[in-house]
Amino acid sequence: SQQGEEDPQALSIQEGENATMNCSYKTSINNLQWYRQNSGRGLVHLILIRSNEREKHSGRLRVTLDTSKKSSSLLITASRAADTASYFCATDSGGYQKVTFGTGTKLQVIP
Amino acid sequence: GAVVSQHPSWVICKSGTSVKIECRSLDFQATTMFWYRQFPKQSLMLMATSNEGSKATYEQGVEKDKFLINHASLTLSTLTVTSAHPEDSSFYICSARPLSGGGTGANVLTFGAGSRLTVL
């Protein structure tokens, strides 16, 4: 079953603008990860944030985690056309450390 | 960096035939590999967790007799779709977790490029 739900489902912005995607989940987690997927391709890991962390940065990416609200956000600053892709949050849950994915946000960056 | 190779990248088969998809970790050992299925414009659904040397653990609703998983070595897991039907057409993606999973990298999966199955 899927753990997370993402919001918005689709987002269209102009190049140079910032893009924010939100992820909500239901149960306690060990960590939360964000992945990117270009159409019809495999997944690329972007960033991992642990349950005891509140914010993390990687290049133009900024991830926040609020375990009290069971939510996370991914901010992409100064977006580029090449950022056009689907973005998924994924949560670590269960004794086998399986990773389950959210519903995804489809981002379109218009040049 | 860690690389997971998935083969074939796409396959077309006739209804009733079986199709095998391979997932290999090329430069690391993985005791655990995961198989996901993705329908068009949808998210990834975990199908099963494959553990080296033992039976796979299937998610609820996934038919283990239809989706046979074998994890014979620390670098190879296979998914066989038996007696495939058009509704099995989908994008199948595998991922592998490194054997030495301590620290921050413990849960960072490496994903294959995916295999697109079309059953006619």
Side-chain angles (χ1 to χ4, degrees):
Chain A
S1 62
Q2 284 185 270
Q3 163 77 297
E5 292 187 3
E6 291 175 65
D7 164 55
Q9 291 188 355
L11 179 61
S12 183
I13 59 174
Q14 294 290 326
E15 199 166 33
E17 294 180 338
N18 296 341
T20 300
M21 291 160 262
N22 303 296
C23 169
S24 60
Y25 55 94
K26 299 175 182 177
T27 62
S28 297
I29 60 171
N30 293 330
N31 63 68
L32 185 145
Q33 303 170 55
W34 285 89
Y35 290 85
R36 164 200 171 119
Q37 183 184 36
N38 288 79
S39 181
R41 304 294 295 274
L43 291 170
V44 176
H45 177 263
L46 294 176
I47 196 165
L48 179 153
I49 186 165
R50 294 185 169 191
S51 59
N52 61 353
E53 297 176 312
R54 292 295 167 261
E55 186 172 316
K56 209 163 183 180
H57 297 256
S58 176
R60 293 184 296 114
L61 306 179
R62 173 177 170 257
V63 169
T64 63
L65 178 64
D66 187 335
T67 53
S68 66
K69 296 181 179 179
K70 291 186 169 58
S71 68
S72 174
S73 68
L74 171 67
L75 168 67
I76 303 174
T77 60
S79 64
R80 305 167 183 169
D83 294 329
T84 296
S86 291
Y87 292 81
F88 296 94
C89 67
T91 54
D92 167 18
S93 62
Y96 297 106
Q97 293 186 298
K98 58 185 177 182
V99 174
T100 54
F101 286 82
T103 50
T105 294
K106 188 171 184 178
L107 172 66
Q108 181 184 24
V109 180
I110 302 168
Chain B
V3 177
V4 170
S5 172
Q6 199 170 331
H7 177 81
S9 56
W10 60 270
V11 57
I12 301 172
C13 70
K14 292 183 179 180
S15 185
T17 60
S18 294
V19 175
K20 180 185 285 189
I21 300 170
E22 292 186 349
C23 179
R24 292 181 184 272
S25 55
L26 297 186
D27 50 1
F28 66 96
Q29 293 181 321
T31 55
T32 304
M33 290 186 176
F34 301 90
W35 287 95
Y36 295 83
R37 179 176 184 177
Q38 185 180 36
F39 290 106
K41 299 182 180 180
Q42 294 188 26
S43 187
L44 286 79
M45 300 298 296
L46 180 65
M47 298 175 66
T49 301
S50 168
N51 296 298
E52 188 265 339
S54 63
K55 292 183 179 180
T57 302
Y58 290 82
E59 294 299 300
Q60 191 174 10
V62 178
E63 300 176 60
K64 61 181 180 181
D65 294 330
K66 181 166 187 61
F67 298 100
L68 300 179
I69 291 174
N70 183 276
H71 194 154
S73 76
L74 289 173
T75 59
L76 174 64
S77 176
T78 60
L79 167 68
T80 301
V81 183
T82 62
S83 186
H85 291 282
E87 57 266 29
D88 297 324
S89 298
S90 189
F91 193 52
Y92 293 89
I93 303 176
C94 72
S95 67
R97 185 192 312 286
L99 178 61
S100 53
T104 305
N107 213 43
V108 178
L109 301 182
T110 299
F111 283 83
S115 298
R116 186 166 301 282
L117 170 63
T118 302
V119 184
L120 301 176

